[in-house]
Amino acid sequence: MPFKDIKKEAIAQWEATQNSPNPRILLGMGTCGIAAGAGDILEALKLELEKAGIQAEIIQVGCIGLCYAEPLMEVVKPGMPSVFYGNQQPELIPDIVQDYLVGNNPRPDLALGTRGENTLEGVPQLFELPVLKPQVRIALRNCGNIDPTSIHQYIANGGYQGLINALKIKPQEVIDEVKSSGLRGRGGAGFPTGIKWQFCHDAPGKTKYIICNADEGDPGAFMDRALLEGDPHAVLEGFLIGAYAIGASEGYIYIRAEYPLAIHRLKVALQQMRECGLLGERIMDSSFKFDIKIKEGAGAFVCGEETAMIASIEGNRGMPRPRPPFPAQSGLWGKPTNINNVETWANVSAILQRGADWYAGYGTEKSKGTKTFSLVGKVERTGLIEVPMGITLREIIYGIGGGVAEGKDFKAVQTGGPSGGCLPASLLDTPVDYESLTAAGAIMGSGGMVVMDDSTCMVDVARYFLTFTQVESCGKCIMCRLGTKQMLDILEDITSGRGKDGDIELLLELGGAVKDGSLCALGGTSPNPVLTTIRYFREEYEAHISERYCPALSCKSLVTYRIDPEKCKGCGICARACPAAAIQGGKREVHVIDQSQCTRCGTCLNVCPPKFGAVTVASGKPAGILSETVVAGEKV
Amino acid sequence: MASTVTTVVEEEKVGTIAMTIDGKEVQATKGSTVLEAALAAGVYIPTLCYDPDLTPYGACRLCIVEIEGMRGLPTSCTTVATDGMVVHTETPAVNQARRVAMELIMANHHGDCLTCAKNQQCELQKIARYLNIEQEHFDRLRKSTQFLPVDTGHPAFIRDPNKCILCGKCVRACHEIAGVGAIDIAFRGYAAKVSTMGDKPIVESMCESCGECLARCPTGSLLPKRTIQPTREVKTICPYCGVGCSVYLGIRGNEIVSVRGDEESPVNQGGLCVKGRFGFDFINHPNRLTKPLIREDGYGKNIEVDGNFREVFREASWDEALELVASKLTHIKESYGPDSLGVLSSAKFTNEENFVVQKFARAVLGTNNVDHCARLCHASTVVAALAAFGDGAMSNSIADFAKADLLFVIGSNTTECHPIIGRIIRQKMESGETTLIVADPRNIDLARRAMVHLRHKPGTDVALLNAIMHVIIEEGLHDKEFIAKRTEGFEELAATVKRYTPKMAEKITGVPQADIVRAARLFAKADRAAILYGMGITQHTTGTDNVKSLANLLMLTGNIGREGTGFSPLRGQNNVQGACDMGALPNVYPGYQRVNVAENRAKFESAWGTTLSETPGITVTEMVDAVHKGKIKAMYMIGENPIMSEPYMSHVKQALQQLEFLVVQDIFPTETAFLADVILPAAAFAEKDGTYTNTERRVQKMCQAVEPPGEARPDWQIISELSGKMGYPLGYQNTAEIMEEIASLTPIYGGIHHDRLDSYGLQWPCYDELDPGTPMLHVDKFTRGLGKFHAVEYQPPAESVSESYPLILTTGRVLEHWHTGTMSRRSEVLDKLNPNGVIDIHPEDAFKLGITDGDLITIASERGKIEAPVRVTDKSSPGLAFMAFHWHESPANALTNPVLDPVAKIPEFKVSAVRAVLSVLDRASQDNEFFAKLAENPAEALKEYKLSDEEKAAIMSGDVRKIESWVGKLDNRLKEWLIARLSQEKW
């Protein structure tokens, strides 16, 4: 069937759904939703709808990004407001079905927001909520709105128009379009996408390859997963456009095997593309031919590095190799190869659908468009967000994120995953763009954003991230394998009270050498968390080393838990809760912690009733002098 | 691994560029890396992971430099030098980064340099010194506390991961040079280490023990178990296979303590296989013959000598021994005529010695009955290729294999039998530049890498090749111009192969027709195709026909006389080519000059001042029969072990027992020597000098490295002295003099003199002093003029399967051993690596026979039987058993068929009908007739024997306890087998 007809059919289907007299329920069934219990909600919904005898369509959609509100569902009842219900529980489903679908009460008490023309008294419009209002959804344009397993829904929403537009013009013109959009690689380094394509396009050779990097490995990052689960075709359309532009007829999607749902969605999408003539020979009746293979990664972080990814696809151990030659000259199987990440491809399809000028209308002068982030950590509203470049960290954390969780104080934000840096409160007004973040010592990275409150020890954070990069080092180059190990050893010494004078200087020296001397970006950026925390939180390092004092009271080796005999009522709660059985004391007797048994887990502090506040934690030397004391339930 | 990095090295290295290194203007080869340019210009840059033979790796970060206009500190090993580049190799930033890298390594390095065998040869140590690293520098760093287990299980070397710096040289050498990939870097982060598959000990991995990793390890992480430092080195040629690798022997006192490949050698370029690297210790084996030995009176030749060797033979002086030999030979010659004597020369000793031996046979003994083991390997090649091309040798050079677009390997397990050539093929396959077709009944290593594997039945080569040619001619893919200009006999060939349709060939060979067609098209369409073959082609009754078919295929497609093409019989022994060249053959004088041509005879008669026999002699294989018939009364065998190497062992043994007089001259008391009357101790390869000619006709000089043990002497000296005692003094002072005589009488060696043989040797034909040798034969013209096609019809092998012998046994070799094991079995490392002969059987056959992997089985043909453990493997095909012939404990040649190719007289080693049974079953069956019947055919046994109902029921229900009460106690394995057998029977 010609694509024209497929599109006509898709639009007709979509309109029929939109205009159907039956209600529709859009349920967020990304991995995040499922983890939050969306599966149970689905079962409950089916049961209740059947019980109530209601003909309703349940559409499983991808993640809309409101992680804090999962499981999340949208109930669309013709002629009534479309209502989002967050934090769903199976017990609530009968009420919503009965009240809203059988009756006409949309239960504003349970609603998170509404969408569309019909509004609901006392319930805000979802996209007017502070969490969504500052966002601009380009890559995530369809996530949560369409059924990701339906190519027709994608097509009905403008999908594959970008490919049609691309095939009408020459590959060079496609590259020019991408160049003028100002799009930069969303994988982290921010290399201009159009220029990258140009290299590969210009490289001599008949056979060229194109790779979609879906090896999202940063701890705390899930943008690519959500995108592939929620709107795979947006990525695949961009991938096809790229293939056409550089002249590749074979592409690989390198995806983590830990993303089974995303892989499944991709496989479904590829099958649909084949059925619609979007893969194989003569795509859309043009001379363009292209096919895609999925290569599942085995869980090595370093395989996100281009040359390591190529080695892995070739069947070798995923280890980076020096550049030049760049993959654009000699990549997969020694042929010119272009690699971009998932989000970049989703932007490409949008750019070709709506034009470079439209896209370049967002963002800053040098960083155009939008960027997705997974906003996590000690923030009130965690989630997957997409914001225009240039927005400040403060706007993201306090506006979209709703500020630091549990009313605590902001301490730092870590951007760019394990290779990124930690920025302090004084830099909260830094605009989020490639240049500003780099200047501050952090990086944009692929979009992890971890907010930390004042209970976080910055030395320990550096140690944590370095543990990750050290374990994930491929072991090839000395700087990365041994340099990060040496730095980690030093950080472990510091956080466990064995720090020495000169350790900070040694960390800086080693950090510099690892940064300059490593073979690939994994090694080259791995000291960033250490270097930025020393830069902005040096006094914490010094306190650890010279006073054996952890200001955040977080490093176990440096803290002591005690029970104030004057305040202890002998209730026994702490003794019962202590997992190490380190607390002794009879009923109505003052309890004592046996320091030799105490594992410093903090359970006693947490369980001691606030009205007693008998448990205290302290850090510093010499032992016994309490530099700062935290009493259960409150801060002194 | 290779493919991603190749562009760096594959840049065209033509022309020069100008660049500045440390302020010095230098010229560099275009396309070279900055490091290569610097090293060439005499600027030292420290490196730990760079090796000129391996792809750049960029891991050690020591070779970093600053390059003007380039960001950061690029690694010079991976950066291509460009015109006008300005490089600084020692700036503060560079030195600082290098220092940190070195300190990191050293803080993590285990070991006390003083007790490390790598001390003073350790690259790490050298660079630490160069960078002036001092203790205090890395004292501020945290020291490693990790200790990883050391792998000491390999007989030749130790792997100590604690001294490993992960430079990756071993891994790259294993992948890129050896083409094996037994090791790789495993795990991540600080835990990363060089590991085998599953982190098992290296001996349990797919490691082929070639030691290329060992040769490249910059630290003491990979160390040979023998680490004695030599005081001097001598360059010579490896005494194992016909590849002819050049080696440096490290000598301390009078002992070989180390071996390394010669990097200058055009043959092996520094590479060695397991035999070449670890297999020379046989020289010092206590069993070496050190004194002449004479058989004591009263010990008949039918006794088992093995255990009481010293009792049966007594030591004698050279004089006494040679007097005895001289008088006996003279006596027999006078009594029965010269043709009652037979001489076996050797493919293991030098050209000079072969020349002397055949001269001794012809001029002193007066017979042309001189032959050697080439009869058993490439006799058919010599006959067929002489007929087709006019020359019996390999047409091109080893280096040509790397230039071919397509390699067709048929009947050659190259990676095991000619490892250094096998390695070239693997490297070509890895690079993806060459197409490989393998025809072999077994699923050999190369078959796994081939585009097409033609798994034909043993002995069906002619049908297969004819069908390939059928397709080529049918599809018009033959080289018409070449055929018209350079060949004759095409019409006859075309008419014959016309009948060999792929369909018909499928029936004969078992190869699917589609594969035949595919192979034919690939071969014909390749611009440059070469054929490599071995014993799989030659050791058949149709060996000559097989080789002729290969010659046909090459000429049909014009694949001869050009670079990257050609006819490549891979010669098995170090000097088998030379032994043939030297006329150690019954029908030709040196240089293939026929003995029955009067003018040839006249030339040699005048040179040697004696009359020579005009009757061509008889071959090795015919000599055995001639002894049985009483025609040959005495034999003189040098460096040959026919008991083990000839087919039908018991027949050969009987013949040798029957001889009136047998002299064996060798380095060890071989199985054959036990039957001798006189044993003469010879010098081994490293104990003498001379020349060897390798498979590509390259005459290479070998040099004496150590003194022979005891009174052992070089073979040419022994023969010379004996000749003198028989009234014909040869008078040679040294081997160079012998070569002068060879050159004067042998046109193809006319220009070969010892002083011309530098590290490259010379490839014959080399007609005179100015002739640079001939790397390629048949360039514009075949040696015989026009190439001749021979229309050949398929003939089945002499023996086929029967009910009693339902399996076909094919024999061959294994990587670690060589020939009859005289040398390799006495090498500690080689024998430990592969101590037992095993029989390969396909899982299907094993299932049918109730045999499981590791069972001791008895394998029998009409001619004998042997016992060996079984390996159940799909490397074998259904119906096919395979065994190598190196083990005297289980000699495969006890089974083989002595039937001969009618022209070349080569036996059909490759096809013998055999049966295989569990050894315990075989023994039990011998003891008990009823049991034998029961095991063979339970249902029949039930009918044949009068059995009570109770007994019948016991058998049918598999009640082994009861059966034991009649047939006697059964072995546990046998009980298991019997239960399985009886349960399978349909009563």
Side-chain angles (χ1 to χ4, degrees), chain A residues 316-317 470 473 486 509 517, chain B residues 1 61 142 187 189-190:
Chain A
N316 296 316
R317 174 178 164 90
Q470 158 56 216
S473 164
Q486 194 64 239
E509 185 193 337
Chain B
M1 171 177 283
R61 317 311 287 170
R142 268 57 169 178
F187 308 103
Y190 187 62

Side-chain angles (χ1 to χ4, degrees), chain B residues 442 808-814 836-840 859 866-869 871 876 880-887 889-893 895-896 909-910:
Chain B
R442 299 171 64 219
I808 290 296
L809 171 77
T810 193
T811 63
R813 298 203 264 135
V814 298
N836 297 313
V838 293
I839 299 167
D840 284 358
I859 189 153
I866 57 173
E867 270 182 11
R871 178 167 57 192
S876 221
L880 183 74
F882 170 81
M883 196 186 183
F885 70 105
H886 313 292
W887 292 273
E889 301 91 336
S890 49
N893 279 326
L895 311 173
T896 46
F909 286 107
K910 290 294 189 248

Side-chain angles (χ1 to χ4, degrees), chain A residues 264-316:
Chain A
H264 173 69
R265 295 263 157 93
L266 273 173
K267 284 182 177 164
V268 170
L270 291 177
Q271 181 57 29
Q272 292 169 342
M273 287 170 78
R274 239 174 273 285
E275 284 160 8
C276 293
L278 294 168
L279 281 181
E281 305 279 330
R282 304 197 54 76
I283 291 169
M284 285 189 173
D285 291 323
S286 71
S287 59
F288 173 49
K289 63 167 189 176
F290 186 62
D291 218 326
I292 298 174
K293 285 181 185 146
I294 293 176
K295 167 83 186 174
E296 291 180 33
F301 179 64
V302 73
C303 285
E305 200 278 343
E306 292 192 347
T307 57
M309 177 174 290
I310 287 169
S312 175
I313 294 176
E314 287 173 346
N316 296 316

Side-chain angles (χ1 to χ4, degrees), chain A residues 298-302 307 310-311 314 316-317 319-325 329-331 333-334 470-479 481-483 485-486 489-490 493-494 498-500 503 506 509-510 513-514 516-520, chain B residues 1-8 48 56-62 64 72-73 75 78-80 96-108 139-143 164-167 175 184-193:
Chain A
F301 179 64
V302 73
T307 57
I310 287 169
E314 287 173 346
N316 296 316
R317 174 178 164 90
M319 293 209 288
R321 60 155 176 80
R323 297 182 278 191
Q329 300 146 0
S330 172
W333 319 115
Q470 158 56 216
V471 165
E472 291 295 339
S473 164
C474 79
K476 182 171 177 176
C477 80
I478 284 165
M479 291 299 187
R481 182 180 79 250
L482 297 178
K485 176 68 168 71
Q486 194 64 239
D489 283 352
I490 296 168
D493 279 357
I494 296 176
R498 296 191 303 267
K500 293 188 289 199
D503 276 352
L506 188 53
E509 185 193 337
L510 290 171
V514 172
D516 295 339
S518 286
L519 193 159
C520 80
Chain B
M1 171 177 283
S3 64
T4 52
V5 208
T6 39
T7 41
V8 177
L48 282 170
Y57 195 56
C60 76
R61 317 311 287 170
L62 292 178
I64 48 168
L73 302 172
T75 42
T78 60
T79 309
V80 176
Q96 165 67 8
R98 278 184 191 155
R99 270 257 310 274
V100 172
M102 273 305 286
E103 285 166 22
L104 287 169
I105 297 175
M106 294 177 70
N108 192 52
D139 267 352
R140 64 205 172 122
L141 298 177
R142 268 57 169 178
K143 283 275 160 48
C164 176
I165 54 167
L166 254 70
C167 67
H175 283 247
D184 205 335
I185 292 173
F187 308 103
R188 286 202 291 265
Y190 187 62
K193 64 169 189 168

Side-chain angles (χ1 to χ4, degrees), chain A residues 204-228:
Chain A
K206 220 172 99 190
T207 309
K208 292 176 186 177
Y209 292 101
I210 192 159
I211 299 173
C212 171
N213 182 349
D215 192 45
E216 185 173 50
D218 288 10
F222 47 83
M223 301 76 59
D224 295 347
R225 190 198 69 213
L227 191 43
L228 288 169

Side-chain angles (χ1 to χ4, degrees), chain A residues 218-219 373-375 393 396-397 410 412-423 427-428 430-434 436-438 440-452 461 465 525 528-529 532:
Chain A
D218 288 10
F373 286 98
S374 48
L375 181 60
L393 288 166
I396 293 177
I397 296 162
F410 174 87
V413 58
Q414 209 269 1
T415 70
S419 323
C422 298
L423 304 182
L427 292 175
L428 271 175
T430 306
V432 173
D433 61 56
Y434 291 103
S436 308
L437 287 176
T438 307
I443 57 166
M444 177 82 81
S446 59
M449 189 175 282
V450 187
V451 177
M452 301 164 204
V461 163
F465 281 112
T525 58
N528 283 350
T532 51

Side-chain angles (χ1 to χ4, degrees), chain A residues 5 256 290 352 356 358 384 488 511 580 589 602 632 636:
Chain A
D5 298 339
R256 307 181 72 192
F290 186 62
L352 268 288
W358 161 80
L384 170 65
L488 182 59
E589 281 174 19
V636 178

